[in-house]
């Protein structure tokens, strides 16, 4: 798979684009051709035309939101609850190994649906237009040890505003991994593969600790008294989750306490592995790029869109796979339009891809196995100093970042 790097042609002060209005704009019909497909140059006007095309696509989807989207959400909620009830019920037959395995499977699916297709998407505000308190982004809580309000800050704001910007987006490595060649190497990163495996198995706990910035506390850049409020919220939410999964529900099965506890723990680990895999495949396979603050300073809306496209990757699969991934298998579309219901991503993916092709830009997509292999290969390579590995970046996208002065 090819890869890309965003190179600025000018410097300017830091700023972030405002959310555009929903006014429909005509498609430009622009076709950009490049003499060298590995060295792509876009003018300021071309990038702004790209932004207008994507704004138009967003406006058309928003204008079409309605009962179909509400029905979809409630169908997923019914399925999630059904799997949870089935899993909890089957735990009472946990003495019979096939029943225990079925219980773990049902609970795993329930937790995956709750976190990926319901919790993640609802807390993004994708269903705020419904004006329903239960599924409002500001009120919703998920089956996860991470408090919803802290996740909304670290993910909705920090990650989706500063996507893949080194030093600003803490999702790059989650404070424990080296995930970009521009990150300074030190011997600690020789454990990259081990740290990644631990993060995968304990992913919900890693997400919970994300806002705490433990590495900055250890480095003395952040004081413990600065995070007292965060710790209190974490303790409260993690305590409720631990009580539910490891005490209350196991106790309800009486003599099957231990099998139920182990079953709940296994379901949580299955959910963690799946969530980690989908998220890392959408952000870190070969071709998904990171950027410096200077490259992203004073972005226009079009330049912000371009960064999202170059820094994300998709995973191919069927309808059920997309549902189980929370439609984050369409990570490119999600990063372009994080507040649009994720169930709409499959239907707009073709147009997004066509827009990429129209401007000569790569559209990073591949099977789950391909993206997983690419991601773990990158994790392994980045555990070593740069001089010991090859740079995969063989496509460079050069952007004219400021509108040229008009010639009299």
């Amino acid at each position: 798979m090819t890869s890309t790097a965003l190179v600025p042609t000018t410097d300017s002060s830091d700023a972030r684009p405002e959310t555009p209005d929903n006014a429909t704009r005509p498609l430009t019909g622009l076709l950009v051709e490049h003499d060298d497909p590995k060295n792509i140059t876009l003018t300021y006007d071309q990038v702004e035309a790209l932004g207008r095309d994507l704004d138009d696509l967003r406006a058309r989807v928003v204008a079409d939101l309605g009962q179909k989207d509400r029905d979809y959400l409630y169908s997923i909620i019914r399925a999630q609850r059904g799997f949870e009830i089935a899993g909890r019920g089957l735990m009472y037959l946990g003495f019979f190994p096939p029943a225990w395995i079925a219980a773990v499977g049902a609970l795993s699916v329930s937790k995956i649906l709750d976190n990926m297709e319901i919790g993640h998407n609802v807390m993004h505000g994708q269903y705020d237009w419904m004006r329903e308190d239960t599924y409002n982004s500001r009120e919703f809580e998920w089956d996860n040890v991470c408090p919803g309000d802290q996740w909304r800050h670290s993910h909705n704001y920090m990650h989706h505003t500063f996507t893949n910007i080194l030093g600003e987006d803490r999702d790059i490595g989650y404070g424990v991994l080296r995930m970009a060649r521009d990150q300074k190497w030190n011997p600690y990163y020789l454990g990259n593969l081990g740290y990644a495996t631990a993060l995968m198995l304990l992913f919900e706990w890693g997400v919970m600790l994300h806002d705490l910035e433990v590495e900055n506390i250890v480095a003395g850049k952040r004081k413990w008294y600065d995070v007292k409020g965060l710790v209190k919220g974490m303790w409260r939410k993690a305590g409720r989750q631990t009580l539910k999964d490891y005490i209350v529900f196991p106790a309800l099965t009486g003599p099957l306490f231990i099998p139920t506890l182990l079953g709940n723990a296994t379901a949580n680990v299955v959910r963690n592995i799946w969530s980690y895999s989908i998220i890392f495949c959408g952000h870190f396979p070969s071709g998904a790029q990171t950027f410096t603050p200077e490259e992203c300073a004073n972005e226009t809306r079009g330049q912000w869109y371009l960064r999202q496209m170059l820094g994300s990757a998709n995973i191919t699969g069927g309808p059920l796979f997309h549902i189980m991934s929370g439609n984050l298998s369409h990570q490119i579309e999600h990063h372009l339009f994080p507040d649009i219901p994720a169930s709409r991503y499959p239907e707009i993916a073709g147009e997004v891809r066509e827009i990429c092709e129209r401007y000569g830009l790569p559209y990073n997509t591949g099977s789950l196995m391909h993206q997983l292999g690419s991601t773990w290969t990158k994790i392994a390579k980045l555990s070593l100093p740069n001089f010991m590995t090859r740079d995969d970046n063989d496509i460079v996208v050069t952007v004219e970042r400021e509108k040229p002065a008009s010639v009299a």
Side-chain angles (χ1 to χ4, degrees):
M1 180 166 300
T2 57
S3 55
T4 58
L6 184 62
V7 180
T9 57
T10 61
D11 293 328
S12 52
S13 61
D14 186 33
R16 296 289 175 246
E18 297 294 329
T19 301
D21 59 33
N22 292 334
T24 301
R25 299 178 174 90
L27 290 174
T28 63
L30 183 66
L31 177 62
V32 179
E33 296 183 352
H34 307 285
D35 294 334
D36 182 356
K38 291 190 175 183
N39 288 280
I40 299 169
T41 300
L42 293 177
T43 67
Y44 178 91
D45 288 337
Q46 288 169 341
V47 175
E48 294 313 291
L50 167 75
R52 289 192 295 271
D53 286 349
L54 290 167
D55 277 346
D56 175 76
L57 174 56
R58 180 185 188 279
R60 283 186 276 118
V61 175
V62 169
D64 189 51
L65 295 179
Q67 190 62 42
K68 177 177 69 173
D69 304 280
R70 180 183 283 105
D71 291 344
Y72 176 84
L73 174 62
Y74 277 96
S75 70
I76 297 297
I77 292 167
R78 287 192 298 271
Q80 182 271 323
R81 290 175 177 172
F83 278 110
E84 180 169 13
I85 292 169
R88 300 297 182 192
L90 285 167
M91 283 298 177
Y92 287 92
L93 302 175
F95 58 86
F96 184 49
W100 185 87
I101 293 172
V104 171
L107 281 178
S108 299
V109 172
S110 169
K111 288 174 177 290
I112 288 170
L113 289 175
D114 176 274
N115 283 192
M116 304 290 281
E117 184 70 321
I118 302 172
H120 172 274
N121 295 334
V122 168
M123 288 195 292
H124 256 299
Q126 294 180 6
Y127 296 95
D128 282 0
W129 55 270
M130 288 169 43
R131 302 292 190 267
E132 296 183 14
D133 292 341
T134 305
Y135 298 105
N136 182 284
S137 61
R138 293 176 296 279
E139 305 296 332
F140 189 85
E141 275 293 349
W142 53 358
D143 182 9
N144 195 295
V145 296
C146 180
D149 60 337
Q150 295 184 23
W151 181 87
R152 286 188 288 271
H153 173 262
S154 63
H155 185 80
N156 288 11
Y157 172 63
M158 294 300 296
H159 174 58
H160 276 276
T161 302
F162 307 107
T163 309
N164 284 26
I165 301 178
L166 289 166
E168 297 187 19
D169 180 8
R170 296 190 66 258
D171 278 24
I172 302 174
Y174 289 79
V176 296
L177 303 175
R178 183 173 186 246
M179 293 305 303
R181 293 179 69 86
D182 288 336
Q183 288 178 272
K184 185 178 179 180
W185 183 87
N186 66 61
Y188 162 85
Y189 291 117
L190 290 171
N192 231 26
L193 283 170
Y195 310 144
T197 301
L199 180 62
M200 176 180 66
L201 296 174
L202 301 170
F203 193 54
E204 65 172 329
W205 296 92
V207 172
M208 182 193 77
L209 295 172
H210 198 29
D211 236 15
L212 202 59
E213 300 182 23
V214 174
E215 76 280 8
N216 287 329
I217 294 174
V218 172
K221 298 178 182 179
R222 200 175 196 192
K223 304 300 182 183
W224 278 109
Y225 62 75
D226 294 330
V227 298
K228 285 183 178 179
L230 292 174
V231 172
K232 183 178 180 180
M234 293 174 187
W235 180 264
R236 183 169 55 246
K237 182 66 191 300
R240 287 200 299 266
Q241 290 295 124
T242 301
L243 182 68
K244 174 178 71 72
D245 276 342
Y246 304 129
I247 298 178
V248 174
F249 278 111
L252 288 174
T253 59
L256 295 174
F257 182 95
I258 297 300
T260 302
L261 185 151
L262 293 175
N264 290 347
T266 302
N268 281 328
V269 170
V270 170
R271 181 270 317 279
N272 289 344
I273 293 173
W274 180 257
S275 301
Y276 168 97
S277 298
I278 295 298
I279 291 167
F280 268 57
C281 283
H283 293 85
F284 302 120
S286 177
Q289 290 301 292
T290 57
F291 314 96
T292 67
E294 293 74 24
E295 288 172 331
C296 307
N298 199 30
E299 284 180 322
T300 65
R301 184 64 175 175
Q303 291 164 4
W304 182 87
Y305 275 137
L306 181 60
R307 173 161 56 88
Q308 305 307 314
M309 298 166 85
L310 296 179
S312 307
N314 283 7
I315 313 169
T316 58
L320 181 59
F321 172 76
H322 294 316
I323 290 172
M324 291 298 291
S325 74
N327 278 290
L328 294 181
S329 47
H330 294 91
Q331 194 68 236
I332 296 172
E333 288 72 26
H334 175 58
H335 273 273
L336 291 172
F337 312 117
D339 59 346
I340 286 178
S343 60
R344 292 297 191 114
Y345 297 154
E347 70 184 52
I348 67 173
E351 187 166 345
V352 171
R353 185 166 192 162
E354 186 275 330
I355 289 173
C356 285
E357 293 172 352
R358 189 188 312 161
Y359 290 88
L361 296 169
Y363 185 84
N364 190 339
T365 188
S367 69
L368 177 62
M369 289 300 100
H370 179 277
Q371 301 292 51
L372 270 176
S374 175
T375 298
W376 282 97
T377 298
K378 176 182 283 189
I379 292 171
K381 289 175 63 174
L382 291 174
S383 68
L384 303 172
N386 286 347
F387 74 86
M388 297 182 66
T389 61
R390 183 176 64 85
D391 189 346
D392 291 332
N393 296 342
D394 55 0
I395 290 183
V396 175
V397 179
T398 305
V399 175
E400 184 180 41
R401 297 192 57 82
E402 293 183 348
K403 189 176 182 63
S406 58
V407 179

